[in-house]
Short mmCIF file of all heavy atoms in Angstrom, two decimals:
data_model
loop_
_atom_site.label_atom_id
_atom_site.label_comp_id
_atom_site.label_asym_id
_atom_site.label_seq_id
_atom_site.Cartn_x
_atom_site.Cartn_y
_atom_site.Cartn_z
N MET A 1 66.31 73.24 -112.64
CA MET A 1 66.49 74.67 -112.87
C MET A 1 67.61 75.19 -111.99
O MET A 1 67.98 74.57 -111.00
CB MET A 1 65.18 75.43 -112.58
CG MET A 1 64.78 75.49 -111.11
SD MET A 1 63.21 76.34 -110.84
CE MET A 1 63.77 78.06 -110.78
N THR A 2 68.16 76.31 -112.37
CA THR A 2 69.21 76.90 -111.55
C THR A 2 68.91 78.38 -111.32
O THR A 2 68.24 79.02 -112.11
CB THR A 2 70.59 76.78 -112.21
OG1 THR A 2 70.56 77.41 -113.48
CG2 THR A 2 71.01 75.34 -112.37
N GLU A 3 69.42 78.86 -110.23
CA GLU A 3 69.37 80.29 -109.92
C GLU A 3 70.81 80.75 -109.74
O GLU A 3 71.71 79.93 -109.58
CB GLU A 3 68.61 80.52 -108.61
CG GLU A 3 67.17 80.06 -108.63
CD GLU A 3 66.23 81.11 -109.17
OE1 GLU A 3 66.67 82.25 -109.40
OE2 GLU A 3 65.05 80.78 -109.36
N ARG A 4 71.01 82.04 -109.75
CA ARG A 4 72.35 82.53 -109.47
C ARG A 4 72.40 83.10 -108.05
O ARG A 4 71.51 83.80 -107.63
CB ARG A 4 72.74 83.62 -110.48
CG ARG A 4 73.47 83.02 -111.64
CD ARG A 4 73.96 84.09 -112.60
NE ARG A 4 74.30 83.49 -113.88
CZ ARG A 4 75.41 82.77 -114.10
NH1 ARG A 4 76.28 82.59 -113.14
NH2 ARG A 4 75.64 82.24 -115.27
N CYS A 5 73.49 82.80 -107.38
CA CYS A 5 73.70 83.34 -106.05
C CYS A 5 73.83 84.86 -106.14
O CYS A 5 74.59 85.38 -106.95
CB CYS A 5 74.95 82.73 -105.45
SG CYS A 5 75.39 83.43 -103.85
N ASP A 6 73.06 85.57 -105.32
CA ASP A 6 73.09 87.03 -105.34
C ASP A 6 74.44 87.58 -104.91
O ASP A 6 74.81 88.70 -105.26
CB ASP A 6 72.01 87.59 -104.41
CG ASP A 6 70.64 87.52 -105.06
OD1 ASP A 6 70.56 87.19 -106.25
OD2 ASP A 6 69.65 87.80 -104.37
N ALA A 7 75.18 86.80 -104.14
CA ALA A 7 76.45 87.30 -103.61
C ALA A 7 77.62 86.97 -104.53
O ALA A 7 78.33 87.87 -104.97
CB ALA A 7 76.69 86.74 -102.22
N CYS A 8 77.82 85.70 -104.83
CA CYS A 8 79.02 85.31 -105.58
C CYS A 8 78.74 85.04 -107.05
O CYS A 8 79.68 84.91 -107.83
CB CYS A 8 79.67 84.08 -104.93
SG CYS A 8 78.69 82.57 -105.07
N GLY A 9 77.47 84.95 -107.46
CA GLY A 9 77.15 84.75 -108.86
C GLY A 9 77.22 83.30 -109.32
O GLY A 9 76.97 83.00 -110.48
N GLN A 10 77.54 82.42 -108.40
CA GLN A 10 77.61 81.00 -108.72
C GLN A 10 76.23 80.46 -109.03
O GLN A 10 75.25 80.86 -108.40
CB GLN A 10 78.22 80.27 -107.52
CG GLN A 10 78.26 78.75 -107.66
CD GLN A 10 78.77 78.11 -106.38
OE1 GLN A 10 79.84 78.41 -105.89
NE2 GLN A 10 77.98 77.22 -105.81
N GLU A 11 76.13 79.53 -109.99
CA GLU A 11 74.83 78.93 -110.29
C GLU A 11 74.45 77.95 -109.19
O GLU A 11 75.26 77.15 -108.74
CB GLU A 11 74.88 78.22 -111.64
CG GLU A 11 74.83 79.21 -112.79
CD GLU A 11 74.50 78.52 -114.11
OE1 GLU A 11 74.25 77.32 -114.12
OE2 GLU A 11 74.48 79.23 -115.13
N ILE A 12 73.20 78.04 -108.77
CA ILE A 12 72.71 77.20 -107.68
C ILE A 12 71.65 76.26 -108.25
O ILE A 12 70.66 76.71 -108.79
CB ILE A 12 72.04 78.06 -106.59
CG1 ILE A 12 73.00 79.15 -106.09
CG2 ILE A 12 71.56 77.19 -105.44
CD1 ILE A 12 72.28 80.19 -105.22
N PRO A 13 71.87 74.95 -108.14
CA PRO A 13 70.81 74.03 -108.54
C PRO A 13 69.67 74.06 -107.52
O PRO A 13 69.90 73.90 -106.32
CB PRO A 13 71.50 72.65 -108.56
CG PRO A 13 72.70 72.80 -107.69
CD PRO A 13 73.06 74.26 -107.65
N ILE A 14 68.47 74.31 -108.01
CA ILE A 14 67.31 74.38 -107.13
C ILE A 14 66.41 73.19 -107.40
O ILE A 14 65.90 73.04 -108.50
CB ILE A 14 66.51 75.69 -107.37
CG1 ILE A 14 67.41 76.91 -107.23
CG2 ILE A 14 65.31 75.76 -106.45
CD1 ILE A 14 67.87 77.20 -105.82
N ALA A 15 66.22 72.36 -106.42
CA ALA A 15 65.32 71.23 -106.57
C ALA A 15 63.88 71.73 -106.48
O ALA A 15 63.54 72.48 -105.58
CB ALA A 15 65.58 70.18 -105.49
N GLY A 16 63.07 71.32 -107.41
CA GLY A 16 61.68 71.77 -107.43
C GLY A 16 60.84 71.01 -106.41
O GLY A 16 61.23 69.99 -105.89
N GLY A 17 59.67 71.55 -106.15
CA GLY A 17 58.72 70.82 -105.30
C GLY A 17 58.62 71.41 -103.92
O GLY A 17 59.60 71.64 -103.25
N ILE A 18 57.38 71.61 -103.50
CA ILE A 18 57.12 72.20 -102.19
C ILE A 18 57.54 71.24 -101.08
O ILE A 18 57.95 71.66 -100.02
CB ILE A 18 55.62 72.58 -102.06
CG1 ILE A 18 55.36 73.44 -100.84
CG2 ILE A 18 54.72 71.34 -102.09
CD1 ILE A 18 55.46 74.92 -101.13
N ALA A 19 57.46 69.92 -101.32
CA ALA A 19 57.83 68.95 -100.29
C ALA A 19 59.29 69.13 -99.91
O ALA A 19 59.65 69.11 -98.74
CB ALA A 19 57.58 67.53 -100.79
N ASN A 20 60.12 69.31 -100.92
CA ASN A 20 61.53 69.51 -100.66
C ASN A 20 61.76 70.78 -99.85
O ASN A 20 62.58 70.81 -98.95
CB ASN A 20 62.27 69.58 -101.99
CG ASN A 20 63.79 69.63 -101.79
OD1 ASN A 20 64.36 70.70 -101.66
ND2 ASN A 20 64.41 68.47 -101.76
N PHE A 21 61.01 71.79 -100.18
CA PHE A 21 61.13 73.07 -99.47
C PHE A 21 60.83 72.89 -97.98
O PHE A 21 61.57 73.36 -97.12
CB PHE A 21 60.17 74.08 -100.09
CG PHE A 21 60.14 75.40 -99.36
CD1 PHE A 21 61.12 76.35 -99.60
CD2 PHE A 21 59.14 75.67 -98.45
CE1 PHE A 21 61.09 77.57 -98.93
CE2 PHE A 21 59.11 76.90 -97.78
CZ PHE A 21 60.09 77.83 -98.02
N TRP A 22 59.75 72.20 -97.69
CA TRP A 22 59.33 72.10 -96.28
C TRP A 22 60.20 71.16 -95.46
O TRP A 22 60.31 71.33 -94.26
CB TRP A 22 57.86 71.65 -96.20
CG TRP A 22 56.95 72.79 -96.55
CD1 TRP A 22 56.14 72.86 -97.64
CD2 TRP A 22 56.76 74.02 -95.84
NE1 TRP A 22 55.48 74.07 -97.65
CE2 TRP A 22 55.83 74.79 -96.56
CE3 TRP A 22 57.31 74.53 -94.66
CZ2 TRP A 22 55.42 76.05 -96.13
CZ3 TRP A 22 56.91 75.79 -94.23
CH2 TRP A 22 55.98 76.52 -94.97
N THR A 23 60.79 70.18 -96.10
CA THR A 23 61.65 69.29 -95.32
C THR A 23 63.04 69.90 -95.13
O THR A 23 63.84 69.38 -94.38
CB THR A 23 61.81 67.92 -96.02
OG1 THR A 23 62.31 68.13 -97.34
CG2 THR A 23 60.49 67.19 -96.08
N MET A 24 63.30 71.03 -95.80
CA MET A 24 64.60 71.69 -95.70
C MET A 24 65.72 70.73 -96.07
O MET A 24 66.80 70.77 -95.52
CB MET A 24 64.83 72.24 -94.28
CG MET A 24 63.81 73.29 -93.88
SD MET A 24 63.91 74.79 -94.87
CE MET A 24 65.36 75.55 -94.15
N ASP A 25 65.44 69.85 -97.02
CA ASP A 25 66.44 68.89 -97.47
C ASP A 25 67.44 69.61 -98.36
O ASP A 25 67.11 70.05 -99.45
CB ASP A 25 65.74 67.77 -98.23
CG ASP A 25 66.72 66.72 -98.72
OD1 ASP A 25 67.94 66.89 -98.49
OD2 ASP A 25 66.27 65.74 -99.31
N SER A 26 68.63 69.74 -97.90
CA SER A 26 69.63 70.53 -98.63
C SER A 26 70.47 69.67 -99.56
O SER A 26 71.36 70.18 -100.22
CB SER A 26 70.53 71.27 -97.65
OG SER A 26 71.26 70.33 -96.89
N THR A 27 70.20 68.38 -99.62
CA THR A 27 71.08 67.51 -100.38
C THR A 27 70.94 67.70 -101.89
O THR A 27 71.87 67.44 -102.63
CB THR A 27 70.83 66.02 -100.06
OG1 THR A 27 69.47 65.73 -100.33
CG2 THR A 27 71.15 65.73 -98.61
N GLU A 28 69.79 68.18 -102.34
CA GLU A 28 69.59 68.31 -103.79
C GLU A 28 69.65 69.76 -104.24
O GLU A 28 69.51 70.05 -105.41
CB GLU A 28 68.24 67.71 -104.18
CG GLU A 28 68.22 66.19 -104.02
CD GLU A 28 66.90 65.60 -104.42
OE1 GLU A 28 66.18 66.24 -105.20
OE2 GLU A 28 66.57 64.52 -103.93
N THR A 29 69.80 70.67 -103.32
CA THR A 29 69.86 72.07 -103.69
C THR A 29 71.19 72.66 -103.25
O THR A 29 71.82 72.18 -102.31
CB THR A 29 68.71 72.87 -103.04
OG1 THR A 29 68.80 72.74 -101.63
CG2 THR A 29 67.37 72.35 -103.50
N GLY A 30 71.60 73.70 -103.92
CA GLY A 30 72.87 74.32 -103.59
C GLY A 30 72.69 75.61 -102.84
O GLY A 30 73.67 76.31 -102.55
N GLY A 31 71.45 75.94 -102.54
CA GLY A 31 71.23 77.21 -101.85
C GLY A 31 69.76 77.40 -101.54
O GLY A 31 68.96 76.49 -101.73
N MET A 32 69.43 78.56 -101.07
CA MET A 32 68.04 78.85 -100.74
C MET A 32 67.82 80.35 -100.71
O MET A 32 68.78 81.13 -100.70
CB MET A 32 67.68 78.26 -99.37
CG MET A 32 68.51 78.83 -98.23
SD MET A 32 68.13 78.06 -96.64
CE MET A 32 66.55 78.84 -96.28
N THR A 33 66.55 80.73 -100.69
CA THR A 33 66.23 82.13 -100.57
C THR A 33 66.23 82.50 -99.10
O THR A 33 65.54 81.89 -98.29
CB THR A 33 64.85 82.44 -101.18
OG1 THR A 33 64.85 82.03 -102.54
CG2 THR A 33 64.55 83.92 -101.10
N LEU A 34 67.04 83.47 -98.77
CA LEU A 34 67.20 83.87 -97.39
C LEU A 34 66.60 85.25 -97.18
O LEU A 34 66.89 86.17 -97.93
CB LEU A 34 68.70 83.90 -97.06
CG LEU A 34 69.09 83.92 -95.59
CD1 LEU A 34 68.76 82.58 -94.95
CD2 LEU A 34 70.57 84.20 -95.45
N GLU A 35 65.70 85.36 -96.19
CA GLU A 35 65.17 86.68 -95.86
C GLU A 35 66.01 87.27 -94.75
O GLU A 35 66.20 86.67 -93.70
CB GLU A 35 63.70 86.59 -95.43
CG GLU A 35 63.13 87.98 -95.21
CD GLU A 35 61.63 87.95 -94.89
OE1 GLU A 35 60.97 86.93 -95.13
OE2 GLU A 35 61.14 88.97 -94.38
N LEU A 36 66.53 88.44 -95.00
CA LEU A 36 67.43 89.07 -94.05
C LEU A 36 66.65 89.89 -93.03
O LEU A 36 65.45 90.13 -93.19
CB LEU A 36 68.42 89.98 -94.79
CG LEU A 36 69.21 89.28 -95.90
CD1 LEU A 36 70.22 90.25 -96.49
CD2 LEU A 36 69.92 88.04 -95.40
N VAL A 37 67.34 90.33 -92.00
CA VAL A 37 66.68 91.08 -90.93
C VAL A 37 66.15 92.42 -91.43
O VAL A 37 65.25 93.00 -90.81
CB VAL A 37 67.63 91.31 -89.73
CG1 VAL A 37 67.89 89.99 -89.01
CG2 VAL A 37 68.93 91.96 -90.15
N ASP A 38 66.69 92.92 -92.57
CA ASP A 38 66.18 94.18 -93.09
C ASP A 38 65.01 93.97 -94.05
O ASP A 38 64.53 94.91 -94.66
CB ASP A 38 67.30 94.99 -93.75
CG ASP A 38 67.97 94.21 -94.90
OD1 ASP A 38 67.41 93.20 -95.34
OD2 ASP A 38 69.06 94.63 -95.33
N GLY A 39 64.55 92.71 -94.19
CA GLY A 39 63.35 92.43 -94.96
C GLY A 39 63.60 92.13 -96.43
O GLY A 39 62.67 91.81 -97.15
N THR A 40 64.85 92.22 -96.88
CA THR A 40 65.15 91.90 -98.27
C THR A 40 65.38 90.40 -98.41
O THR A 40 65.81 89.74 -97.46
CB THR A 40 66.39 92.66 -98.77
OG1 THR A 40 67.51 92.32 -97.97
CG2 THR A 40 66.15 94.17 -98.71
N GLU A 41 65.08 89.88 -99.61
CA GLU A 41 65.28 88.46 -99.86
C GLU A 41 66.38 88.27 -100.88
O GLU A 41 66.45 88.99 -101.87
CB GLU A 41 63.98 87.83 -100.37
CG GLU A 41 62.94 87.70 -99.29
CD GLU A 41 61.74 86.88 -99.75
OE1 GLU A 41 61.74 86.41 -100.89
OE2 GLU A 41 60.82 86.73 -98.94
N HIS A 42 67.22 87.28 -100.64
CA HIS A 42 68.34 87.02 -101.53
C HIS A 42 68.47 85.53 -101.77
O HIS A 42 68.36 84.74 -100.85
CB HIS A 42 69.65 87.55 -100.91
CG HIS A 42 69.61 89.03 -100.66
ND1 HIS A 42 70.02 89.93 -101.60
CD2 HIS A 42 69.17 89.74 -99.61
CE1 HIS A 42 69.83 91.15 -101.12
NE2 HIS A 42 69.32 91.06 -99.91
N GLN A 43 68.70 85.20 -103.06
CA GLN A 43 68.99 83.82 -103.41
C GLN A 43 70.47 83.60 -103.18
O GLN A 43 71.30 84.26 -103.80
CB GLN A 43 68.63 83.60 -104.89
CG GLN A 43 68.71 82.16 -105.31
CD GLN A 43 67.57 81.33 -104.73
OE1 GLN A 43 66.43 81.76 -104.78
NE2 GLN A 43 67.89 80.20 -104.18
N LEU A 44 70.80 82.71 -102.27
CA LEU A 44 72.20 82.54 -101.89
C LEU A 44 72.59 81.07 -101.89
O LEU A 44 71.79 80.20 -101.53
CB LEU A 44 72.44 83.12 -100.49
CG LEU A 44 72.24 84.64 -100.36
CD1 LEU A 44 72.23 85.03 -98.89
CD2 LEU A 44 73.32 85.41 -101.10
N CYS A 45 73.84 80.81 -102.27
CA CYS A 45 74.36 79.46 -102.17
C CYS A 45 74.75 79.19 -100.71
O CYS A 45 74.94 80.13 -99.93
CB CYS A 45 75.56 79.25 -103.10
SG CYS A 45 77.05 80.17 -102.65
N PHE A 46 74.86 77.93 -100.37
CA PHE A 46 75.14 77.60 -98.97
C PHE A 46 76.52 78.09 -98.53
O PHE A 46 76.73 78.40 -97.35
CB PHE A 46 74.99 76.10 -98.73
CG PHE A 46 73.55 75.66 -98.70
CD1 PHE A 46 73.09 74.65 -99.54
CD2 PHE A 46 72.65 76.27 -97.85
CE1 PHE A 46 71.77 74.26 -99.52
CE2 PHE A 46 71.32 75.89 -97.82
CZ PHE A 46 70.87 74.87 -98.66
N ASP A 47 77.46 78.15 -99.46
CA ASP A 47 78.78 78.68 -99.11
C ASP A 47 78.66 80.10 -98.58
O ASP A 47 79.28 80.46 -97.57
CB ASP A 47 79.69 78.68 -100.35
CG ASP A 47 80.22 77.29 -100.66
OD1 ASP A 47 80.04 76.40 -99.81
OD2 ASP A 47 80.81 77.11 -101.73
N CYS A 48 77.86 80.91 -99.27
CA CYS A 48 77.70 82.30 -98.85
C CYS A 48 76.87 82.39 -97.57
O CYS A 48 77.15 83.20 -96.70
CB CYS A 48 77.05 83.11 -99.97
SG CYS A 48 78.18 83.39 -101.36
N ILE A 49 75.85 81.55 -97.46
CA ILE A 49 75.01 81.57 -96.26
C ILE A 49 75.87 81.28 -95.02
O ILE A 49 75.73 81.91 -93.98
CB ILE A 49 73.87 80.54 -96.39
CG1 ILE A 49 72.87 81.02 -97.44
CG2 ILE A 49 73.15 80.34 -95.04
CD1 ILE A 49 71.82 79.98 -97.81
N GLU A 50 76.81 80.34 -95.18
CA GLU A 50 77.69 80.00 -94.05
C GLU A 50 78.57 81.17 -93.64
O GLU A 50 78.93 81.31 -92.48
CB GLU A 50 78.58 78.81 -94.44
CG GLU A 50 77.85 77.49 -94.36
CD GLU A 50 78.75 76.32 -94.75
OE1 GLU A 50 79.98 76.50 -94.79
OE2 GLU A 50 78.22 75.25 -95.02
N LYS A 51 78.91 82.02 -94.62
CA LYS A 51 79.80 83.13 -94.32
C LYS A 51 79.07 84.32 -93.72
O LYS A 51 79.69 85.22 -93.13
CB LYS A 51 80.51 83.58 -95.60
CG LYS A 51 81.52 82.56 -96.10
CD LYS A 51 82.11 83.03 -97.43
CE LYS A 51 82.79 81.89 -98.16
NZ LYS A 51 83.01 82.21 -99.58
N LEU A 52 77.74 84.34 -93.88
CA LEU A 52 76.99 85.48 -93.36
C LEU A 52 76.88 85.43 -91.84
O LEU A 52 76.76 84.35 -91.26
CB LEU A 52 75.58 85.49 -93.96
CG LEU A 52 75.47 85.94 -95.42
CD1 LEU A 52 74.04 85.74 -95.90
CD2 LEU A 52 75.89 87.38 -95.60
N PRO A 53 76.90 86.58 -91.21
CA PRO A 53 76.68 86.61 -89.76
C PRO A 53 75.23 86.25 -89.43
O PRO A 53 74.38 86.20 -90.32
CB PRO A 53 76.98 88.06 -89.38
CG PRO A 53 76.81 88.84 -90.65
CD PRO A 53 77.16 87.91 -91.77
N GLU A 54 74.96 86.02 -88.17
CA GLU A 54 73.65 85.56 -87.71
C GLU A 54 72.52 86.47 -88.18
O GLU A 54 71.53 86.02 -88.71
CB GLU A 54 73.64 85.49 -86.18
CG GLU A 54 72.45 84.73 -85.64
CD GLU A 54 72.82 83.28 -85.28
OE1 GLU A 54 73.74 82.72 -85.87
OE2 GLU A 54 72.18 82.75 -84.38
N GLU A 55 72.68 87.76 -88.02
CA GLU A 55 71.63 88.69 -88.42
C GLU A 55 72.14 89.52 -89.59
O GLU A 55 72.47 90.69 -89.47
CB GLU A 55 71.22 89.58 -87.25
CG GLU A 55 70.67 88.74 -86.09
CD GLU A 55 69.82 89.56 -85.13
OE1 GLU A 55 70.04 90.78 -85.05
OE2 GLU A 55 68.95 88.97 -84.47
N ALA A 56 72.22 88.86 -90.73
CA ALA A 56 72.82 89.48 -91.91
C ALA A 56 71.92 90.54 -92.51
O ALA A 56 70.69 90.45 -92.44
CB ALA A 56 73.11 88.41 -92.95
N THR A 57 72.53 91.55 -93.09
CA THR A 57 71.81 92.58 -93.83
C THR A 57 72.29 92.57 -95.27
O THR A 57 73.23 91.87 -95.62
CB THR A 57 72.05 93.97 -93.22
OG1 THR A 57 73.42 94.33 -93.42
CG2 THR A 57 71.72 94.00 -91.75
N VAL A 58 71.64 93.40 -96.08
CA VAL A 58 72.02 93.48 -97.50
C VAL A 58 73.48 93.90 -97.64
O VAL A 58 74.15 93.55 -98.60
CB VAL A 58 71.05 94.43 -98.24
CG1 VAL A 58 71.19 95.86 -97.75
CG2 VAL A 58 71.26 94.35 -99.75
N GLU A 59 73.98 94.63 -96.68
CA GLU A 59 75.38 95.06 -96.74
C GLU A 59 76.33 93.89 -96.55
O GLU A 59 77.42 93.85 -97.13
CB GLU A 59 75.65 96.13 -95.67
CG GLU A 59 75.07 97.49 -96.10
CD GLU A 59 75.02 98.47 -94.95
OE1 GLU A 59 75.77 98.30 -93.99
OE2 GLU A 59 74.18 99.39 -95.04
N ASP A 60 75.92 92.92 -95.74
CA ASP A 60 76.75 91.73 -95.58
C ASP A 60 76.80 90.92 -96.87
O ASP A 60 77.83 90.35 -97.23
CB ASP A 60 76.20 90.86 -94.44
CG ASP A 60 76.38 91.54 -93.10
OD1 ASP A 60 77.51 91.96 -92.80
OD2 ASP A 60 75.39 91.67 -92.36
N VAL A 61 75.65 90.86 -97.58
CA VAL A 61 75.61 90.17 -98.86
C VAL A 61 76.52 90.88 -99.87
O VAL A 61 77.27 90.25 -100.60
CB VAL A 61 74.17 90.10 -99.40
CG1 VAL A 61 74.14 89.49 -100.80
CG2 VAL A 61 73.30 89.26 -98.46
N ALA A 62 76.48 92.20 -99.88
CA ALA A 62 77.33 92.97 -100.78
C ALA A 62 78.80 92.74 -100.45
O ALA A 62 79.66 92.68 -101.33
CB ALA A 62 76.98 94.45 -100.69
N ALA A 63 79.12 92.62 -99.17
CA ALA A 63 80.50 92.41 -98.76
C ALA A 63 81.00 91.06 -99.25
O ALA A 63 82.17 90.91 -99.60
CB ALA A 63 80.60 92.50 -97.24
N LEU A 64 80.13 90.05 -99.29
CA LEU A 64 80.51 88.75 -99.81
C LEU A 64 80.89 88.86 -101.27
O LEU A 64 81.84 88.24 -101.73
CB LEU A 64 79.34 87.76 -99.66
CG LEU A 64 79.09 87.18 -98.28
CD1 LEU A 64 77.88 86.27 -98.34
CD2 LEU A 64 80.28 86.42 -97.76
N ASP A 65 80.13 89.65 -102.00
CA ASP A 65 80.39 89.83 -103.43
C ASP A 65 81.78 90.41 -103.65
O ASP A 65 82.52 90.01 -104.53
CB ASP A 65 79.31 90.76 -104.01
CG ASP A 65 79.46 90.89 -105.53
OD1 ASP A 65 79.97 89.94 -106.15
OD2 ASP A 65 79.07 91.93 -106.07
N GLU A 66 82.15 91.35 -102.82
CA GLU A 66 83.45 92.00 -102.97
C GLU A 66 84.60 91.08 -102.65
O GLU A 66 85.67 91.17 -103.21
CB GLU A 66 83.51 93.23 -102.05
CG GLU A 66 82.70 94.39 -102.62
CD GLU A 66 82.42 95.46 -101.57
OE1 GLU A 66 83.12 95.47 -100.55
OE2 GLU A 66 81.50 96.25 -101.79
N SER A 67 84.37 90.13 -101.73
CA SER A 67 85.44 89.24 -101.34
C SER A 67 85.55 88.04 -102.28
O SER A 67 86.51 87.29 -102.21
CB SER A 67 85.23 88.76 -99.89
OG SER A 67 84.05 87.98 -99.82
N ALA A 68 84.57 87.84 -103.15
CA ALA A 68 84.58 86.67 -104.04
C ALA A 68 85.62 86.82 -105.15
O ALA A 68 85.92 87.94 -105.53
CB ALA A 68 83.19 86.46 -104.63
ZN1 ZN B 101 77.30 82.38 -103.20
#
C-alpha cells in the first residue's frame, strides 16, 4: 500500500505489519507518521522528515509544501 506525503505529495510505500513498525526498520518504507509538538499527525516521506527542524510544527510542514 502507499500513502501520500502530507508535505510534498510524493507517494510513500508503507510496509505493513506491526513488527516492522516496532523495529523502526526504514528499509521497506519511504516514510512514517510523525506526531509534531503541536499534537498534529502527518504522514511524511523521509526526505521531508530530514528537512524538518527538531521540534517541527504544522507550519514547518506547510513550508515544505511551498518549497517543493
Ligand atoms: Zn515528502
Side-chain angles (χ1 to χ4, degrees):
M1 70 182 275
T2 58
E3 299 274 353
R4 267 184 197 285
C5 175
D6 282 352
C8 68
Q10 175 185 304
E11 284 195 3
I12 305 168
I14 305 290
I18 192 91
N20 186 271
F21 176 81
W22 285 113
T23 56
M24 298 295 284
D25 181 358
S26 64
T27 57
E28 292 180 23
T29 59
M32 62 183 285
T33 303
L34 196 70
E35 185 175 344
L36 305 184
V37 290
D38 59 14
T40 59
E41 288 189 1
H42 299 270
Q43 188 72 46
L44 295 169
C45 68
F46 285 125
D47 283 350
C48 288
I49 290 171
E50 281 180 15
K51 290 176 197 163
L52 285 174
E54 193 99 332
E55 300 200 334
T57 67
V58 65
E59 284 166 23
D60 292 308
V61 175
L64 283 178
D65 185 28
E66 284 164 18
S67 65

